[in-house]
Amino acid sequence: MPAPQQPSTASKPEQAPKPSKAASTRAAILGAATELLSEHGVRGVTVEAVAESADVSLGLLYYHFENRQDLVRAALAEALDHYAYRRPPQELPPAERLRTALSQHIGVDAEAARQDRVYAEAMRAAAFDPAIRPALARTLEGWNGGMTRLVTAAVPQLAETHPEAPAETATALTALVDGLQQRVRSSLLPAERGLELLALATGAVLADGATDAD
């Protein structure tokens, strides 16, 4: 007769605690607000529209957020903190990876354009509302950091002549993309022309790096 099995003493993996109902409600409200932001911009984020989309009452929305401005600030911060940069394929040559990473923000890539709409709204709002700037600064820091690594890989000579050159170049390129992005989104510049101008600027950086190496 087989011996009776003893209860297993192996520890079970701990499960993450379930969010409270209040936390789930707040998350639903922010999710609805960020969705409206990406579709209609800040002007489309009204408390009525958010409450309807999140399926909560206005009273419950105001329990979590003091007013519309508080809601917009929180929604922008939430969207910026989850801003996901799409990395170019690793198999591409370094110079092409740099061009690809920059080009996705000129409105050609649909998913990137959706995220960039929220980013652009945050940039405009931050000019008048300092409370939005910390989240925007974190997003920019992440973007510039990623671009610095791509610049370093594409033009390694820059760091040899000046250690800060890759970071400074990345900041200049991302600032250029910000400006081109705004013009394309405002229909002041066709997306194709925006990409051409970006290619010219990126080509100049690559050529300058090659010249320094000679």
mmCIF file of all heavy atoms in Angstrom, residues 74-95:
data_model
loop_
_atom_site.group_PDB
_atom_site.id
_atom_site.type_symbol
_atom_site.label_atom_id
_atom_site.label_comp_id
_atom_site.label_asym_id
_atom_site.label_seq_id
_atom_site.Cartn_x
_atom_site.Cartn_y
_atom_site.Cartn_z
ATOM 1 N N ALA A 74 -3.733 64.764 -15.200
ATOM 2 C CA ALA A 74 -3.483 63.361 -14.860
ATOM 3 C C ALA A 74 -3.483 62.486 -16.103
ATOM 4 O O ALA A 74 -2.658 61.566 -16.224
ATOM 5 C CB ALA A 74 -4.544 62.871 -13.868
ATOM 6 N N ALA A 75 -4.377 62.774 -17.053
ATOM 7 C CA ALA A 75 -4.443 61.982 -18.279
ATOM 8 C C ALA A 75 -3.191 62.182 -19.130
ATOM 9 O O ALA A 75 -2.645 61.224 -19.685
ATOM 10 C CB ALA A 75 -5.688 62.355 -19.075
ATOM 11 N N LEU A 76 -2.726 63.417 -19.227
ATOM 12 C CA LEU A 76 -1.504 63.679 -19.980
ATOM 13 C C LEU A 76 -0.304 62.977 -19.333
ATOM 14 O O LEU A 76 0.519 62.368 -20.020
ATOM 15 C CB LEU A 76 -1.247 65.185 -20.073
ATOM 16 C CG LEU A 76 -2.135 65.962 -21.047
ATOM 17 C CD1 LEU A 76 -1.935 67.463 -20.869
ATOM 18 C CD2 LEU A 76 -1.841 65.555 -22.486
ATOM 19 N N ALA A 77 -0.208 63.082 -18.007
ATOM 20 C CA ALA A 77 0.898 62.425 -17.303
ATOM 21 C C ALA A 77 0.842 60.914 -17.489
ATOM 22 O O ALA A 77 1.871 60.263 -17.705
ATOM 23 C CB ALA A 77 0.862 62.785 -15.819
ATOM 24 N N GLU A 78 -0.358 60.345 -17.418
ATOM 25 C CA GLU A 78 -0.525 58.899 -17.596
ATOM 26 C C GLU A 78 -0.081 58.479 -18.995
ATOM 27 O O GLU A 78 0.647 57.489 -19.163
ATOM 28 C CB GLU A 78 -1.998 58.531 -17.389
ATOM 29 C CG GLU A 78 -2.333 57.073 -17.621
ATOM 30 C CD GLU A 78 -1.964 56.174 -16.460
ATOM 31 O OE1 GLU A 78 -1.494 56.683 -15.441
ATOM 32 O OE2 GLU A 78 -2.130 54.955 -16.590
ATOM 33 N N ALA A 79 -0.519 59.238 -20.000
ATOM 34 C CA ALA A 79 -0.162 58.899 -21.381
ATOM 35 C C ALA A 79 1.341 59.046 -21.614
ATOM 36 O O ALA A 79 1.963 58.203 -22.266
ATOM 37 C CB ALA A 79 -0.935 59.787 -22.343
ATOM 38 N N LEU A 80 1.930 60.097 -21.074
ATOM 39 C CA LEU A 80 3.364 60.320 -21.267
ATOM 40 C C LEU A 80 4.190 59.250 -20.575
ATOM 41 O O LEU A 80 5.207 58.797 -21.106
ATOM 42 C CB LEU A 80 3.748 61.704 -20.741
ATOM 43 C CG LEU A 80 3.266 62.895 -21.576
ATOM 44 C CD1 LEU A 80 3.487 64.195 -20.810
ATOM 45 C CD2 LEU A 80 3.977 62.940 -22.918
ATOM 46 N N ASP A 81 3.769 58.833 -19.385
ATOM 47 C CA ASP A 81 4.524 57.814 -18.661
ATOM 48 C C ASP A 81 4.456 56.448 -19.344
ATOM 49 O O ASP A 81 5.274 55.569 -19.067
ATOM 50 C CB ASP A 81 4.007 57.688 -17.224
ATOM 51 C CG ASP A 81 4.472 58.837 -16.341
ATOM 52 O OD1 ASP A 81 5.434 59.535 -16.731
ATOM 53 O OD2 ASP A 81 3.873 59.055 -15.269
ATOM 54 N N HIS A 82 3.471 56.262 -20.236
ATOM 55 C CA HIS A 82 3.343 54.996 -20.955
ATOM 56 C C HIS A 82 3.677 55.159 -22.436
ATOM 57 O O HIS A 82 3.343 54.303 -23.257
ATOM 58 C CB HIS A 82 1.923 54.431 -20.804
ATOM 59 C CG HIS A 82 1.624 53.931 -19.433
ATOM 60 N ND1 HIS A 82 1.194 54.769 -18.411
ATOM 61 C CD2 HIS A 82 1.730 52.700 -18.884
ATOM 62 C CE1 HIS A 82 1.027 54.060 -17.309
ATOM 63 N NE2 HIS A 82 1.349 52.813 -17.571
ATOM 64 N N TYR A 83 4.338 56.256 -22.752
ATOM 65 C CA TYR A 83 4.738 56.504 -24.132
ATOM 66 C C TYR A 83 5.768 55.448 -24.535
ATOM 67 O O TYR A 83 6.808 55.313 -23.899
ATOM 68 C CB TYR A 83 5.351 57.896 -24.237
ATOM 69 C CG TYR A 83 5.483 58.436 -25.641
ATOM 70 C CD1 TYR A 83 4.662 59.447 -26.103
ATOM 71 C CD2 TYR A 83 6.452 57.953 -26.498
ATOM 72 C CE1 TYR A 83 4.786 59.960 -27.373
ATOM 73 C CE2 TYR A 83 6.588 58.450 -27.778
ATOM 74 C CZ TYR A 83 5.752 59.452 -28.213
ATOM 75 O OH TYR A 83 5.893 59.941 -29.476
ATOM 76 N N ALA A 84 5.467 54.699 -25.559
ATOM 77 C CA ALA A 84 6.341 53.595 -25.977
ATOM 78 C C ALA A 84 6.990 53.918 -27.315
ATOM 79 O O ALA A 84 6.301 54.017 -28.328
ATOM 80 C CB ALA A 84 5.537 52.297 -26.083
ATOM 81 N N TYR A 85 8.304 54.095 -27.306
ATOM 82 C CA TYR A 85 9.016 54.332 -28.556
ATOM 83 C C TYR A 85 9.211 53.009 -29.285
ATOM 84 O O TYR A 85 9.639 52.022 -28.693
ATOM 85 C CB TYR A 85 10.368 54.984 -28.268
ATOM 86 C CG TYR A 85 10.223 56.345 -27.661
ATOM 87 C CD1 TYR A 85 10.444 56.559 -26.315
ATOM 88 C CD2 TYR A 85 9.809 57.417 -28.443
ATOM 89 C CE1 TYR A 85 10.280 57.812 -25.753
ATOM 90 C CE2 TYR A 85 9.646 58.676 -27.891
ATOM 91 C CZ TYR A 85 9.890 58.862 -26.547
ATOM 92 O OH TYR A 85 9.714 60.100 -25.987
ATOM 93 N N ARG A 86 8.883 53.014 -30.530
ATOM 94 C CA ARG A 86 9.011 51.801 -31.330
ATOM 95 C C ARG A 86 10.436 51.709 -31.863
ATOM 96 O O ARG A 86 10.864 52.534 -32.669
ATOM 97 C CB ARG A 86 7.983 51.817 -32.463
ATOM 98 C CG ARG A 86 6.557 51.965 -31.945
ATOM 99 C CD ARG A 86 5.550 51.946 -33.068
ATOM 100 N NE ARG A 86 5.454 50.620 -33.667
ATOM 101 C CZ ARG A 86 4.644 50.350 -34.692
ATOM 102 N NH1 ARG A 86 3.915 51.303 -35.224
ATOM 103 N NH2 ARG A 86 4.602 49.135 -35.194
ATOM 104 N N ARG A 87 11.142 50.719 -31.407
ATOM 105 C CA ARG A 87 12.545 50.580 -31.797
ATOM 106 C C ARG A 87 12.652 50.033 -33.215
ATOM 107 O O ARG A 87 11.937 49.099 -33.587
ATOM 108 C CB ARG A 87 13.267 49.649 -30.830
ATOM 109 C CG ARG A 87 13.301 50.174 -29.395
ATOM 110 C CD ARG A 87 14.028 49.216 -28.482
ATOM 111 N NE ARG A 87 14.088 49.724 -27.126
ATOM 112 C CZ ARG A 87 14.649 49.082 -26.117
ATOM 113 N NH1 ARG A 87 15.201 47.893 -26.325
ATOM 114 N NH2 ARG A 87 14.662 49.611 -24.903
ATOM 115 N N PRO A 88 13.554 50.596 -34.011
ATOM 116 C CA PRO A 88 13.736 50.075 -35.372
ATOM 117 C C PRO A 88 14.350 48.690 -35.329
ATOM 118 O O PRO A 88 15.007 48.313 -34.351
ATOM 119 C CB PRO A 88 14.690 51.099 -36.007
ATOM 120 C CG PRO A 88 15.402 51.731 -34.856
ATOM 121 C CD PRO A 88 14.438 51.737 -33.719
ATOM 122 N N PRO A 89 14.152 47.888 -36.373
ATOM 123 C CA PRO A 89 14.701 46.519 -36.396
ATOM 124 C C PRO A 89 16.212 46.493 -36.199
ATOM 125 O O PRO A 89 16.943 47.303 -36.770
ATOM 126 C CB PRO A 89 14.315 46.020 -37.792
ATOM 127 C CG PRO A 89 13.140 46.851 -38.193
ATOM 128 C CD PRO A 89 13.359 48.199 -37.574
ATOM 129 N N GLN A 90 16.665 45.562 -35.389
ATOM 130 C CA GLN A 90 18.083 45.452 -35.078
ATOM 131 C C GLN A 90 18.921 45.097 -36.303
ATOM 132 O O GLN A 90 20.115 45.425 -36.372
ATOM 133 C CB GLN A 90 18.305 44.390 -33.995
ATOM 134 C CG GLN A 90 17.833 44.795 -32.608
ATOM 135 C CD GLN A 90 18.770 45.806 -31.959
ATOM 136 O OE1 GLN A 90 19.868 46.057 -32.435
ATOM 137 N NE2 GLN A 90 18.323 46.395 -30.864
ATOM 138 N N GLU A 91 18.306 44.428 -37.276
ATOM 139 C CA GLU A 91 19.093 43.990 -38.425
ATOM 140 C C GLU A 91 19.453 45.130 -39.380
ATOM 141 O O GLU A 91 20.286 44.965 -40.267
ATOM 142 C CB GLU A 91 18.348 42.891 -39.200
ATOM 143 C CG GLU A 91 17.001 43.309 -39.765
ATOM 144 C CD GLU A 91 15.856 43.031 -38.808
ATOM 145 O OE1 GLU A 91 16.132 42.850 -37.605
ATOM 146 O OE2 GLU A 91 14.708 42.992 -39.269
ATOM 147 N N LEU A 92 18.840 46.289 -39.204
ATOM 148 C CA LEU A 92 19.169 47.431 -40.052
ATOM 149 C C LEU A 92 20.549 47.969 -39.711
ATOM 150 O O LEU A 92 20.982 47.909 -38.560
ATOM 151 C CB LEU A 92 18.135 48.545 -39.869
ATOM 152 C CG LEU A 92 16.712 48.285 -40.376
ATOM 153 C CD1 LEU A 92 15.810 49.469 -40.023
ATOM 154 C CD2 LEU A 92 16.703 48.051 -41.875
ATOM 155 N N PRO A 93 21.243 48.537 -40.685
ATOM 156 C CA PRO A 93 22.521 49.202 -40.386
ATOM 157 C C PRO A 93 22.287 50.359 -39.421
ATOM 158 O O PRO A 93 21.189 50.936 -39.393
ATOM 159 C CB PRO A 93 22.993 49.701 -41.758
ATOM 160 C CG PRO A 93 22.236 48.880 -42.753
ATOM 161 C CD PRO A 93 20.924 48.555 -42.118
ATOM 162 N N PRO A 94 23.275 50.727 -38.607
ATOM 163 C CA PRO A 94 23.090 51.787 -37.614
ATOM 164 C C PRO A 94 22.534 53.089 -38.177
ATOM 165 O O PRO A 94 21.639 53.701 -37.576
ATOM 166 C CB PRO A 94 24.500 51.978 -37.042
ATOM 167 C CG PRO A 94 25.151 50.648 -37.215
ATOM 168 C CD PRO A 94 24.618 50.111 -38.497
ATOM 169 N N ALA A 95 23.033 53.536 -39.328
ATOM 170 C CA ALA A 95 22.551 54.792 -39.910
ATOM 171 C C ALA A 95 21.080 54.690 -40.288
ATOM 172 O O ALA A 95 20.305 55.632 -40.083
ATOM 173 C CB ALA A 95 23.391 55.152 -41.134
#
